Structures are given as structure tokens and as C-alpha cells.
Amino acid sequence: MSAAGPPREPSRASDRTCIVVGAGAAGLSCALRLQQHGVRVTLLEAADRVGGRCLTTSVGDLGVFELGAQWFHGQKGNPAFALAESLGLTPQTPKRRATTPRHLRSDGRPANADVVRSASRLLFETVSELEAGRGGAHASVGAAVRAAWEAARPGLLASHGDGALLDAAWEAAEKLQCAIDGCGDLADECAGVAYASYDDFDGRHVPSRPDLGGFSKALEALA
């Protein structure tokens, strides 16, 4: 039998290292949590900014806008809302009167709002059914909404008569849902139990305040 060597000292937290890829909300939060537990973190980000899909920026002379995330989905227990609130980015504002959105064609001419709403309503109602677990058996969210579109389009076309506008409105609605889900294509989103288990935090849905720095300022505080 060989003699046992000296007992090894337990590794210290400061001896542990970790690489986190991506400086979006998840990456920044992960890096911060690891640092709080004494782990040395190297954070890698390909872009020249932090924030990932959250980007608050000026758009010409129109003002400051959110080009990514725009809402806090629920206040209670929502760490994103708590962070923004601690930075003074969510002050109460007077309730503004709702305005009717304007829909324009690429050449600037007004588009028929009823046509646009008919396409977008179909997509969002189909997604709501999937979130409630009532969407039937589909391979993906994309497959479910496109099946609904193929079934409904002939009737919508007969009612409205503007196929080009219907198709453009549907494409825009799909892109908006992709932005909400954080995917490049709804065909990449599974339509099963995982999608149906999504739920918002309790409390009001609160819009961000890009005029105060918005989501970009909140995430920069984590960097």
C-alpha cells in the first residue's frame, strides 16, 4: 500500500472560473449571480454593446424608442420590473387616452385597417389557443398558425378583396409574434406542453420608458 499524500484543501470559490457567452439579459444576470458567489467570470459578447434583444435608441428626429423588449409582463415577482423600478425607470405616468393605430403601405398610402386587423387577429387568437393548450396537435407554433391561415385566407380574401395587403399584414403579425417569442421563425417554436406552460407574472403589464433610458439603461446597470 502506498502512503496517502497530504489531504487536499477544498478549492476556494475564487479559484473557480466560468465563461458566459452573450451579454443579453440572461447572460448579464448569470454573470452577476456567479460573481456574487465568488466565481471569476469572463463574459463574451460579439456586439459592441450589451443588452441583446433589448435596445433603446433614437430614431431620427422622431424620438427615442424601444427596438426590442417594450413591456414588463406583470409587476409582482418580476425581476426585470424590480430592476427598472430600483433605477427610477418606471415612474407612474398619467393615463393617456388610447389612440387608433394607423396602418400605411410602403408608399405611404393609408391601408385598410379592417384588412390588417383581420389577419393579425387570426394569428393572435391561434397563438392564444396554443398557450391555453387547446391548439391541437401541431409540430410547431408556425405549423399551427399557418394551417389556420391557409384555412381562413380564402374567406378573408372574399370579404376584403386585397390579397396583397392581407399577406403583408399576416407576415407582419408573424414577425411581431417572433419578436414576442424571441425566435427567428415560428416554425422553430414547439407547440406542445412547454409553450402552453408560459405564464405572465401577476400584476399590471407596464410599458417601458425609453425617454428615461428604457431597457438598455436597465441592462447596462447589470454590466
Side-chain angles (χ1 to χ4, degrees), residues 8 15 18 20 39 51-52 62 65 86 93-94 100 127 134 145-146 153 160-161 172 178 204 213 216:
R8 297 180 59 187
D15 293 332
C18 181
V20 176
V39 179
L62 298 177
F65 295 87
S86 71
T93 57
T100 302
V127 168
R134 298 191 297 266
V145 298
R146 288 161 195 168
R153 189 182 184 281
H160 300 294
C178 280
R204 294 187 303 112
S216 283

Side-chain angles (χ1 to χ4, degrees), residues 31-173:
L32 179 61
R33 183 64 62 87
L34 288 168
Q35 282 187 328
Q36 290 171 342
H37 284 77
V39 179
R40 290 180 293 172
V41 178
T42 298
L43 181 61
L44 303 180
E45 171 57 56
D48 59 358
R49 63 176 182 84
V50 301
R53 290 187 293 115
C54 295
L55 176 59
T56 311
T57 188
S58 297
V59 179
D61 297 329
L62 298 177
V64 183
F65 295 87
E66 298 283 13
L67 300 188
Q70 300 180 22
W71 291 81
F72 299 97
H73 288 216
Q75 300 164 283
K76 300 178 181 178
N78 186 339
F81 180 80
L83 172 64
E85 189 174 43
S86 71
L87 296 170
L89 302 179
T90 58
Q92 295 295 318
T93 57
K95 193 171 184 179
R96 293 181 294 181
R97 187 175 181 179
T99 58
T100 302
R102 298 177 62 195
H103 303 282
L104 303 177
R105 296 176 183 269
S106 58
D107 60 4
R109 292 184 297 121
N112 187 322
D114 290 337
V115 177
V116 176
R117 282 194 293 265
S118 66
S120 58
R121 185 185 303 116
L122 173 65
L123 186 140
F124 298 131
E125 288 178 351
T126 304
V127 168
S128 293
E129 288 294 297
L130 293 172
E131 290 176 340
R134 298 191 297 266
H138 294 280
S140 68
V141 175
V145 298
R146 288 161 195 168
W149 175 240
E150 290 175 6
R153 189 182 184 281
L156 293 174
L157 184 60
S159 299
H160 300 294
D162 192 335
L165 181 57
L166 273 172
D167 292 339
W170 177 262
E171 182 181 355

